Amino acid sequence: MNLVEKTEKIFALTTPLYYVNGLPHIGSAYTTMAADAIARFQRLLGNQVLLVTGTDEHGQKIQRTAQTKNLEPQVFCDQVSAEFSSLWKLLNIQYDRFIRTTDSRHEVIVKDFFKRVWDNGDIYLGEQKGWYCVSCEEFKEERDLLEGKRCPIHTNKEVEWRDEQNYFFKLSKYQEKLEHLYQHHPDFIQPESRRNEVLNFVKQGLQDFSISRVNMDWGFEVPVDPKHTLYVWFDALLGYATALLDPDEEAGLEKALQKWWPIKLHLLGKDILRFHAVYWPAMLMSAGLNLPHKVFAHGYLTKDGQKMGKTLGNTVDPITLVERYGSDAIRYYFLKEIEFGKDGDFNEVRFINVLNADLANDLGNLLNRTSNMVKKYCGGNLPPITAEDIPVENLLKAIGLDLGSQVKVAYQDLAFDRGCEAVLALVRACNKFIDEHAPWSLYKQGQQDAVEKILYAVLESVRLSAYLLSPIIPDTSNKIYQQLGFQVNFNDQTQTAITTPFAVHSQWGVLSNKQKLGKPQPVFKRIEIPKND
């Protein structure tokens, strides 16, 4: 295998390293569910995949929060970080690496990287004066502040005046190189609306940014000046590199980047886009390292049309949501109902109605009614039909032959909603196909061959739908595949359905009478709308 082939078969992607100042929320769950769906899809393609997630655990905000709880910062970080990994398991997130920036090996990586940038002359000691938001870990322009010197993002937090010496990174030096990057690699920042935001920001002229703080203990010392502590972003972004080390591998920047670098995709919320699309590539340029292939920033989530917030009391607890409805329900709604990249809304009644309509009624009931007909008209055995017996003029086959390639493109574009809608179009066509062809009437007329072809076409379409939706609803897809007689677990990466090339299982006509159908049963149970307390 040559270097190009090797690179094409390796796909590393990341979520943000979530800040542990608070418990995980639905926004961080949203990003991670999307990342997991992409990783699962890439595995279906036969690629080696590394999904990186984790927690960012340094900074003044964390130090202060720990103090208010009478805890040591490390103890506080341990508690909150565990909540993130616990939620990811509840959501059936199959991450490969969970990096914590308090990992001792991470300090080695940060210092290796710092030395590269320092030796390149891109770090200097300077004066920093201005209004600083501890919650953002960022200096703010006075013109952007709200009344009462409050942060425009954390509107209930007053900013603090800072006048101190800091070490700075020469971001301004990389103005032209960044503009060249954006011009010659237009897909580097996605979606297009976010790319335009970054272009407008950079055109205004880049300012050097602070990478250290004084009077702060919770973080790594600046290697050339122990009175200073490295600023959270210069530390946290390098967690993506540390995560690439094998679990027992000795730390070192060169070792970390040997196999999985460069990252193919950084997934994040739009609030931290600037750090990933401007600061991060400039830092990598300074260190002489290859850049990630793509940075994709999705929108905010709202609830009932309003931005979620503790002050409004309208936050959504993802743990409660999963425990009440199950992981597939949460994954499906947020990835199918929200166009990835745009802001999206959560409404519990709509959430339940979508799940009942798509998964319980259209897909689940389709399999159930067809399986019952197989039991009644074919003795419970799959009809002795092959794909070749179904003419290309058959509506379901005609849709199915092209569906795999459609959905593949949708996943590659991170258009989960488009992929789901394409699959649901086949499912709805199946239900209509059964009603129009009435196999129960054909059976009474003795047209057994016609009945069997109808049932095969529908069951094969259900199988194809389950396969194409498996990155999003793996548990439901498992139930469908197993009911169709396949010994498959989409949560087990060693299973044949996972390791067999996508080109095989995404084709229409995989189902054969070698499978023995399982007992018909609901693959997704209807959800009752909860009554108000």
Side-chain angles (χ1 to χ4, degrees):
M1 181 181 291
N2 61 38
L3 183 60
V4 173
E5 290 173 334
K6 180 182 177 183
T7 303
E8 288 177 347
K9 285 292 182 181
I10 287 178
F11 194 98
L13 73 159
T14 74
T15 72
L17 303 187
Y18 299 107
Y19 210 43
V20 297
N21 190 51
L23 295 173
H25 51 77
I26 198 65
S28 48
Y30 179 49
T31 317
T32 314
M33 289 186 291
D36 182 69
I38 295 165
R40 287 173 182 267
F41 164 70
Q42 289 293 331
R43 293 187 189 108
L44 292 183
L45 293 181
N47 292 329
Q48 294 184 63
V49 178
L50 192 82
L51 171 54
V52 172
T53 187
T55 45
D56 172 11
E57 303 182 10
H58 286 141
Q60 192 169 54
K61 181 165 54 173
I62 291 171
Q63 185 174 352
R64 288 184 179 181
T65 303
Q67 288 171 349
T68 64
K69 298 178 180 295
N70 295 316
L71 293 173
E72 291 296 321
Q74 186 64 65
V75 173
F76 172 72
C77 290
D78 291 345
Q79 291 177 356
V80 179
S81 182
E83 293 289 338
F84 278 90
S85 58
S86 176
L87 176 58
W88 298 165
K89 290 175 183 175
L90 277 177
L91 285 167
N92 201 1
I93 307 295
Q94 292 192 332
Y95 59 82
D96 299 286
R97 303 285 165 79
F98 190 99
I99 179 63
R100 300 179 57 188
T101 57
T102 49
D103 185 330
S104 59
R105 297 190 304 169
H106 180 58
E107 184 172 8
V108 176
I109 299 294
V110 171
K111 288 183 176 179
D112 282 357
F113 187 89
F114 182 94
K115 186 176 187 306
R116 282 178 175 242
V117 178
W118 176 266
D119 290 346
N120 199 36
D122 287 342
I123 297 174
Y124 65 92
L125 187 64
E127 294 288 334
Q128 179 81 51
K129 294 182 180 181
W131 296 104
Y132 183 77
C133 175
V134 174
S135 294
C136 289
E137 300 280 8
E138 184 182 22
F139 281 89
K140 301 291 181 180
E141 296 287 341
E142 187 163 6
R143 64 175 180 269
D144 295 330
L145 297 178
L146 303 179
E147 185 179 351
K149 294 291 188 292
R150 287 176 291 116
C151 172
I153 296 175
H154 300 90
T155 56
N156 60 337
K157 302 283 187 180
E158 291 185 15
V159 293
E160 303 175 3
W161 179 258
R162 297 287 178 88
D163 183 355
E164 61 189 35
Q165 278 195 330
N166 291 161
Y167 282 90
F168 287 79
F169 172 73
K170 293 182 180 179
L171 181 64
S172 57
K173 174 181 172 180
Y174 292 90
Q175 172 100 25
E176 291 185 8
K177 289 184 178 180
L178 287 170
E179 290 176 336
H180 183 272
L181 167 67
Y182 306 145
Q183 180 181 353
H184 290 83
H185 299 278
D187 290 339
F188 177 71
I189 304 169
Q190 291 293 314
E192 187 71 17
S193 58
R194 306 287 173 245
R195 180 175 182 270
N196 291 335
E197 289 175 12
V198 172
L199 291 177
N200 290 334
F201 170 74
V202 173
K203 283 178 183 177
Q204 296 174 22
L206 294 176
Q207 303 295 317
D208 298 346
F209 69 90
S210 168
I211 64 167
S212 77
R213 296 287 181 269
V214 293
N215 302 319
M216 185 181 76
D217 302 324
W218 189 237
F220 300 139
E221 292 179 351
V222 172
V224 297
D225 190 342
K227 296 191 301 293
H228 288 254
T229 301
L230 283 172
Y231 169 57
V232 64
W233 285 105
F234 196 89
D235 165 358
L237 289 165
L238 285 160
Y240 299 136
T242 307
L244 305 184
L245 289 165
D246 287 336
D248 299 323
E249 190 173 10
E250 184 180 349
L253 186 60
E254 289 288 348
K255 288 183 180 180
L257 305 183
Q258 280 180 352
K259 178 178 180 180
W260 295 101
W261 194 265
I263 301 295
K264 292 291 178 66
L265 174 66
H266 285 308
L267 271 190
L268 48 124
K270 64 182 181 180
D271 54 327
I272 54 173
L273 174 61
R274 187 183 303 175
F275 299 102
H276 288 79
V278 182
Y279 294 11
W280 181 225
M283 289 162 54
L284 292 170
M285 289 174 182
S286 176
L289 300 177
N290 291 327
L291 304 186
H293 289 194
K294 183 180 291 187
V295 175
F296 192 104
H298 64 74
Y300 290 137
L301 295 180
T302 57
K303 184 174 185 291
D304 302 326
Q306 290 185 304
K307 186 176 180 181
M308 294 184 199
K310 293 179 182 178
T311 53
L312 291 175
N314 67 340
T315 56
V316 175
D317 178 9
I319 295 176
T320 301
L321 213 56
V322 177
E323 290 175 343
R324 183 179 298 167
Y325 300 114
S327 60
D328 272 15
I330 315 306
R331 295 165 66 102
Y332 183 80
Y333 177 84
F334 282 101
L335 296 181
K336 186 258 183 180
E337 282 299 298
I338 299 171
E339 183 179 343
F340 199 62
K342 294 186 176 180
D343 294 349
D345 189 65
F346 175 80
N347 173 279
E348 193 162 9
V349 173
R350 174 165 176 75
F351 166 81
I352 292 172
N353 287 337
V354 166
L355 292 166
N356 285 339
D358 292 1
L359 300 186
N361 295 349
D362 288 346
L363 181 58
N365 189 50
L366 173 64
L367 174 59
N368 207 328
R369 71 190 291 212
T370 310
S371 297
N372 279 318
M373 283 190 280
V374 170
K375 183 179 179 181
K376 187 173 182 179
Y377 306 141
C378 305
N381 298 314
L382 277 165
I385 300 292
T386 66
E388 289 71 27
D389 296 322
I390 309 296
V392 292
E393 294 79 15
N394 180 288
L395 176 64
L396 303 186
K397 185 172 184 177
I399 296 172
L401 287 174
D402 187 50
L403 185 61
S405 58
Q406 284 185 51
V407 175
K408 179 180 179 180
V409 171
Y411 277 123
Q412 289 171 333
D413 292 343
L414 309 190
F416 306 108
D417 60 323
R418 197 172 76 217
C420 289
E421 280 298 337
V423 173
L424 262 291
L426 174 59
V427 171
R428 290 166 187 147
C430 286
N431 280 305
K432 186 177 180 181
F433 186 82
I434 291 176
D435 293 339
E436 290 178 347
H437 287 80
W440 46 88
S441 296
L442 295 174
Y443 180 74
K444 291 178 182 178
Q445 297 168 19
Q447 298 186 45
Q448 183 66 20
D449 183 64
V451 170
E452 291 177 350
K453 287 180 179 178
I454 291 170
L455 297 181
Y456 176 88
V458 173
L459 289 176
E460 171 56 17
S461 297
V462 171
R463 181 211 63 81
L464 178 60
S465 299
Y467 181 78
L468 296 176
L469 289 174
S470 65
I472 296 174
I473 49 171
D475 289 341
T476 304
S477 295
N478 278 339
K479 292 177 183 176
I480 293 172
Y481 252 65
Q482 289 160 13
Q483 194 163 317
L484 291 174
F486 291 92
Q487 298 302 311
V488 166
N489 180 358
F490 286 103
N491 293 315
D492 183 350
Q493 297 176 31
T494 65
Q495 286 280 338
T496 304
I498 309 299
T499 57
T500 300
F502 182 84
V504 174
H505 269 255
S506 65
Q507 295 299 310
W508 196 90
V510 171
L511 195 62
S512 75
N513 60 1
K514 295 179 182 179
Q515 274 82 35
K516 185 170 180 61
L517 260 61
K519 181 180 178 181
Q521 55 187 321
V523 295
F524 192 94
K525 295 182 180 179
R526 282 186 57 82
I527 302 170
E528 297 299 324
I529 296 177
K531 296 178 180 179
N532 293 329
D533 296 332

